[in-house]
Amino acid sequence: MSDAAQPTAAEVRAAAEAVKTALDRHLAAVERRSGEEDPAVYDAFNELAAAAEAYDELLYDRYDEVTPFEIPGEDTLPPYTGPEEPSALSVLIRRDYAVAEPQRLTAQARRVEVADEDAPGAGASGTVHGALGLLFGEFEPDEIASRHKEFGLEEGDSTLWVTAADESAEPGEWLEAPFEQVDPERVVCRFDVSAVFDEEFDDGGDDEDDEDDEDEGEDGEADLPDLDEDLDTDLDTDLDEDGESARLEADR
């Protein structure tokens, strides 16, 4: 940042005073809170976070220094202000997938085509986007979620929001923009699934346990070929002769 663009010492001082004022307001709101989800406390919290962030930025730009405060992100919903007895609800779901095995995906789509050769879009299984259209048109989203590995997909983050309404929407009312008018204050509950949560738990693991696992891997390494050989023998004995062996081998 150039000297001309740097904030003045007075601006930094004013930002510090704003933090002090926001601290006083937040404490006063907490002391007067009417319940666990008092909107006044929520608003005061956001004002304090904004003031602290502004001060931190100005302090760094002017003096190349930072504060010891970490500003939390918006990872919680605002207090619920919807109807106490909602007569309607909407369930908003987002699930992300990665196309991990395109060949498996298109193979599954070809099976759908073979089962119904007269279906619209016949031949679409030759492309990934066509195969996705066939599979999501044939199977319910929940079934794809439970069988995603069979379709060559890898799960990403997912979230489900349940929102309350005073009355049901008219048919076709929101189809053009189904997710644009979600009011966070009417979210009854939400459920999030993400690998980032697993990583947080993994970070707290015991290094000694990891070392023990490595030692056990080294000791048992010589036995692995024999184990694989036994498994191959058992599978070859049990599998029938209709090509199922190749499919299981690909799965492994």
Side-chain angles (χ1 to χ4, degrees), residues 16-27 47-48:
E17 294 298 328
V19 173
K20 297 175 186 177
T21 301
L23 274 170
D24 290 337
R25 290 176 178 171
H26 182 260
L27 177 58
E47 291 175 7
L48 176 57

Side-chain angles (χ1 to χ4, degrees), residues 47-170:
E47 291 175 7
L48 176 57
E53 186 173 9
Y55 171 63
D56 190 82
E57 291 178 358
L58 291 173
L59 186 71
Y60 181 80
D61 292 343
R62 175 69 184 181
Y63 299 111
D64 199 24
E65 290 290 344
V66 296
T67 65
F69 311 120
E70 180 179 354
I71 308 301
E74 290 290 331
D75 56 355
T76 58
L77 291 170
Y80 176 74
T81 61
E84 289 297 325
E85 298 182 4
S87 58
L89 60 89
S90 296
V91 179
L92 302 123
I93 301 175
R94 171 172 173 169
R95 295 186 180 118
D96 283 5
Y97 298 96
V99 180
E101 300 179 74
Q103 292 181 340
R104 182 183 293 273
L105 176 73
T106 54
Q108 291 283 11
R110 279 196 295 272
R111 294 182 182 180
V112 173
E113 282 184 328
V114 169
D116 189 1
E117 296 180 354
D118 297 328
S125 63
T127 64
V128 171
H129 70 272
L132 288 169
L134 281 168
L135 292 175
F136 278 87
E138 178 71 14
F139 300 100
E140 293 291 333
D142 287 344
E143 185 172 2
I144 289 180
S146 64
R147 300 173 56 190
H148 63 277
K149 291 184 178 179
E150 295 180 36
F151 301 132
L153 302 175
E154 182 179 305
E155 284 185 311
D157 289 355
S158 67
T159 186
L160 180 150
W161 293 27
V162 180
T163 65
D166 297 302
E167 57 184 18
S168 299
E170 294 294 327

Side-chain angles (χ1 to χ4, degrees), residues 36-46 73-82 161-163 182-190:
E36 292 185 1
E37 296 184 349
D38 190 332
V41 176
Y42 177 81
D43 292 340
F45 172 88
N46 286 337
E74 290 290 331
D75 56 355
T76 58
L77 291 170
Y80 176 74
T81 61
W161 293 27
V162 180
T163 65
V182 180
D183 185 352
E185 294 185 352
R186 285 183 170 244
V187 175
V188 178
C189 57
R190 63 178 287 181

